[in-house]
Amino acid sequence: NLSFAKGDRARFDEARLDQASFESGSFAEASFAGAAGEYTILRKAKLDRARLGKLRLVRSIADGVEARGADFREAWLEHTLFYEAVLEEARFDGATLDESGFARARVARASFAKTKARITVWLWADIAEADFGSADLARSFFNGCEGLRARFRR
């Protein structure tokens, strides 16, 4: 449990994060490349510009996380809920987000190129200027989203 921790630029590469809790700490520019966890909780953690490529989280929650400009490329985030998360300008290119949810999340100007986001639920999310151009959004559901200039074409 890392509550109120200061871990800016820390390295969690390849770490096991099962049932780990990162609450209200600062992990800006930290690296989680290749880390994996199930039932991981990220609550109000600051992850701006963090490197989360190839991170693997399943059945996890990111509640109130601030991850502006974070790199989630090729991450595996199945069955994960992003609630009131700030993910503006984040990169999800090549990530797998199947059966995940984005509720009241802010993903404006984020990139989802070649992302697998099947059966994903988007509720009251800010997706303005986000690029879903080559994403697989089969059976996904968007409700109440602000999508001004969001791109859905290849």
Side-chain angles (χ1 to χ4, degrees):
N1 183 0
L2 292 171
S3 294
F4 302 98
K6 180 80 168 156
D8 294 344
R9 296 189 184 93
R11 296 187 64 89
F12 296 93
D13 299 339
E14 306 294 327
R16 290 298 311 165
L17 302 174
D18 294 320
Q19 299 179 8
S21 177
F22 294 81
E23 189 162 347
S24 299
S26 180
F27 303 95
E29 298 182 19
S31 179
F32 290 83
E38 188 171 18
Y39 302 107
T40 304
I41 298 169
L42 301 166
R43 184 167 288 125
K44 299 192 186 315
K46 296 189 184 328
L47 294 160
D48 292 334
R49 297 170 313 285
R51 293 177 305 284
L52 303 128
K54 297 188 179 176
L55 170 67
R56 185 179 180 93
L57 292 183
V58 180
R59 289 179 281 281
S60 296
I61 185 165
D63 175 10
V65 166
E66 293 181 24
R68 290 174 190 85
D71 181 356
F72 290 92
R73 285 182 285 190
E74 297 182 29
W76 185 283
L77 305 167
E78 270 192 331
H79 304 280
T80 295
L81 173 62
F82 294 88
Y83 179 73
E84 293 187 348
V86 180
L87 304 161
E88 294 160 335
E89 298 180 2
R91 301 287 308 261
F92 288 90
D93 305 338
T96 298
L97 303 170
D98 292 344
E99 298 184 37
S100 290
F102 291 81
R104 299 190 187 280
R106 296 190 342 226
V107 295
R109 297 172 308 286
S111 175
F112 294 88
K114 297 183 181 173
T115 298
K116 292 178 187 142
R118 297 169 292 224
I119 317 174
T120 301
V121 177
W122 303 78
L123 300 173
W124 305 286
D126 177 0
I127 60 171
E129 298 182 56
D131 186 359
F132 296 95
S134 57
D136 180 356
L137 297 168
R139 297 175 28 214
S140 290
F141 177 78
F142 291 80
N143 185 43
C145 295
E146 171 64 44
L148 187 64
R149 291 191 292 276
R151 291 176 295 285
F152 291 92
R153 291 189 196 179
R154 292 179 190 224

